[in-house]
Amino acid sequence: MSDERYSLIDPTSARRLELPVLEPTLGPNVLSLAGLYSHSGVFTYDPGFGATASCTSNITYVDGEKGILLYRGYPIEQLAEHSTFIEVAYLLLHGELPTAEQLQAFDHSIRTHTMLNESLLRFFNGFHHNAHPMAMVSGVVASMSAFYHDTTDIQMEHDRDVFAHRIIAKIPTIAAAAYKHSKGQPFVYPLNRLDYCSNMLHMFFSVPSDSYEVDPVAAQALDLLFILHADHEQNCSTSTVRLAGSSGTNPYAAIAAGISALWGPAHGGANEAVINMLEEIGSAKHIGKYIARAKDRNDPFRLMGFGHRVYKNYDPRATIIRKMCHRLLEQLKASDTPLFELALRLEEVALRDDYFIEKNLYPNVDFYSGIIYRALGIPKSMFTVMFAIARCVGWVTHWREMVADPGTRIGRPRQLYVGPPSRNYRAIGEREEAA
Ligand code: ACO
């Protein structure tokens, strides 16, 4: 806490209120409003939480003005270049990079928790073949709360660790089962000798009737995408996990709530929406028309994969993914180059347009990620599921931080009520006709 104080004058009583200022390690100072209501009788109003810190956290830092993203203090660019998804998962969960021994033990634990209870696998039969995979994944993850009762005491550190390892290990198996169900193909069991991303590709693409070799280029690309998507401080889905978890609910249920929040097109669903948009635009000659639509206040169309609540500069993850697209499409000899070229052209036109310049709208993490997923053979409807697999690490890390914090209270925002004032019930015969 800083010595600084912010003063507010209550206009009715002319009383001065002193608000303490909290100092972060990085980023702007934060006014503590914890005692505001009890001292002044007023609430604060901040729709969309644009200026509200909902918790203290020491996991991830984002500087939206400068385009900086740090996991536990490490720049995303360095982690993307030198680390692996499993090492990043350890870093996020434990706060420090692992020693060789710690990494080996963590990797072993994740590899040996990949199988699903057979009853859980049977849940998929209840879904129609064309169910959206996000619906299946959130449903099955929520169903995990009906299992593991002996190891889900959230007050026990050991149980919290077991939960973290289980959900991180099993979510690719659940995602692959959702994919196989939608294809009408048999589920493929995990092969624990494979690393995290190779195992996921194996469960997605191998079939019993043929041999399948995981392409190491594809596994590496996925690993990098997963690093970039692993955490992003108090975004919509992470805040949802925290809010649901703050009631003390079963942690699998809290993660399922996060998966549901991620699905929306304003959040993780944007990667699917970007490809739909690029396909609809079809050719560079139509870009002008779509840019005009995005700028038209009367048209609900938005440039998907553009804009971010926090980044008012290029999203550092988009910079890495954009570079990766160039390399990967060449290495995989993918046929999606025209779509990538269209995306590059669209970005170029938007970034020169006054509307996008004035509103600081830049490509976000989702603008290019779908192009890579497509080049890896992953269908559009699975893109947001890929995001969920990676973000699961962030959700679990935030959930653990919150549960372990003795100062955590149930999340319970207040409101600015604008409904009718108090009134008396009227019998049906005494009500006026609606106008
Ligand atoms: N295309 C056109 N105009 C846009 C776009 C866009 N993609 N994004 C924002 N704007 C405009 C808005 O119309 C608004 O204009 P106004 O001030 O004239 O009303 C202004 O920019 C500010 O936009 P808000 O919606 O108020 O910004 P907010 O921070 O609430 O929303 C969001 C951020 C949801 C990401 C928004 O930029 C958007 O809808 N982008 C497209 C969807 C997308 O790519 N989502 C993925 C985000 S990254 C992630 O979650 C992983």
Side-chain angles (χ1 to χ4, degrees):
M1 177 139 15
S2 132
D3 292 338
E4 220 183 312
R5 290 276 186 279
Y6 264 67
S7 295
L8 292 180
I9 309 284
D10 180 342
T12 336
S13 63
R15 234 169 12 121
R16 180 187 289 274
L17 296 167
E18 297 280 329
L19 296 175
V21 176
L22 308 176
E23 277 181 343
T25 0
L26 290 170
N29 282 352
V30 174
L31 285 186
S32 172
L33 302 178
L36 183 72
Y37 177 60
S38 56
H39 284 101
S40 67
V42 294
F43 294 150
T44 55
Y45 178 58
D46 180 21
F49 310 112
T52 296
S54 59
C55 58
T56 58
S57 180
N58 55 28
I59 302 167
T60 291
Y61 174 72
V62 181
D63 183 330
E65 306 299 324
K66 297 194 185 123
I68 291 173
L69 169 60
L70 311 175
Y71 291 167
R72 300 286 191 181
Y74 294 101
I76 193 68
E77 293 80 5
Q78 292 181 20
L79 294 170
E81 196 176 338
H82 304 295
S83 192
T84 62
F85 177 63
I86 284 297
E87 187 180 60
V88 164
Y90 183 98
L91 169 70
L92 284 167
L93 277 170
H94 298 284
E96 295 297 337
L97 286 167
T99 62
E101 225 168 77
Q102 287 167 331
L103 182 60
Q104 206 261 334
F106 180 68
D107 186 46
H108 177 77
S109 176
I110 299 297
R111 283 182 196 231
T112 48
H113 277 98
T114 50
M115 280 183 58
L116 293 187
N117 186 301
E118 288 292 305
S119 315
L120 261 176
L121 264 188
R122 285 194 288 273
F123 283 20
F124 284 93
N125 294 332
F127 291 104
H128 202 52
H129 68 92
N130 62 1
H132 195 286
M134 283 297 276
M136 291 193 257
V137 172
S138 74
V140 172
V141 169
S143 306
M144 286 174 80
S145 56
F147 294 72
Y148 315 118
H149 300 300
D150 53 337
T151 44
T152 321
D153 179 348
I154 63 170
Q155 301 311 328
M156 305 284 289
E157 197 180 340
H158 166 266
D159 284 18
R160 295 200 290 263
D161 282 348
V162 173
F163 156 70
H165 290 209
R166 261 196 192 126
I167 187 69
I168 293 169
K170 291 181 200 307
I171 196 163
T173 316
I174 294 171
Y179 175 62
K180 288 300 196 189
H181 181 71
S182 65
K183 295 278 284 183
Q185 290 181 359
F187 300 131
V188 172
Y189 286 89
L191 256 185
N192 293 347
R193 65 177 163 75
L194 296 176
D195 64 73
Y196 195 81
C197 290
S198 301
N199 206 1
M200 207 210 78
L201 290 168
H202 156 76
M203 289 188 283
F204 265 63
F205 297 121
S206 67
V207 285
S209 50
D210 224 334
S211 55
Y212 175 78
E213 284 290 322
V214 176
D215 181 345
V217 173
Q220 225 183 343
L222 205 56
D223 199 81
L224 177 51
L225 280 183
F226 282 5
I227 291 175
L228 301 178
H229 284 87
D231 193 35
H232 210 237
E233 52 121 306
Q234 311 308 323
N235 57 84
C236 174
S237 54
T238 303
S239 300
T240 302
V241 171
R242 278 187 178 259
L243 194 59
S246 74
S247 71
T249 191
N250 183 289
Y252 296 99
I255 297 294
I259 296 171
S260 304
L262 185 76
W263 191 2
H267 191 14
N271 51 17
E272 186 181 340
V274 169
I275 299 295
N276 288 335
M277 176 190 74
L278 291 173
E279 284 173 346
E280 194 185 315
I281 296 175
S283 139
K285 66 176 189 262
H286 299 133
I287 287 176
K289 186 175 103 192
Y290 282 87
I291 293 276
R293 285 190 60 193
K295 289 157 53 173
D296 181 354
R297 279 182 159 273
N298 300 315
D299 188 330
F301 176 79
R302 281 187 167 200
L303 218 52
M304 299 313 287
F306 256 75
H308 197 275
R309 169 60 62 78
V310 182
Y311 291 118
K312 300 304 165 203
N313 200 325
Y314 216 97
D315 180 336
R317 302 165 300 175
T319 315
I320 299 170
I321 299 180
R322 190 175 184 268
K323 267 196 222 142
M324 184 183 170
C325 271
H326 279 291
R327 208 182 53 233
L328 196 80
L329 292 179
E330 222 177 272
Q331 279 178 320
L332 291 173
K333 304 206 179 344
S335 55
D336 251 349
T337 322
L339 209 68
F340 179 45
E341 277 159 11
L342 181 62
L344 286 172
R345 185 82 190 108
L346 181 60
E347 176 193 330
E348 195 185 316
V349 175
L351 293 185
R352 273 195 275 118
D353 191 288
D354 285 347
Y355 173 93
F356 291 87
I357 295 170
E358 275 158 26
K359 293 186 191 298
N360 295 315
L361 299 170
Y362 290 86
N364 60 49
V365 67
D366 282 332
F367 191 65
Y368 290 109
S369 62
I371 293 172
I372 297 185
Y373 288 136
R374 260 210 5 184
L376 300 180
I378 292 164
K380 252 187 315 190
S381 62
M382 292 299 299
F383 290 179
T384 314
V385 173
M386 296 294 112
F387 193 157
I389 295 173
R391 186 53 60 84
C392 197
V393 168
W395 293 330
V396 172
T397 307
H398 283 269
W399 175 85
R400 269 169 41 124
E401 184 180 61
M402 180 191 67
V403 173
D405 179 353
T408 292
R409 300 171 74 198
I410 185 170
R412 202 320 184 173
R414 302 306 304 262
Q415 62 174 2
L416 170 63
Y417 176 70
V418 291
S422 176
R423 49 187 171 163
N424 292 324
Y425 179 83
R426 280 184 299 176
I428 197 157
E430 294 165 13
R431 295 173 207 163
E432 287 155 23
E433 290 273 313

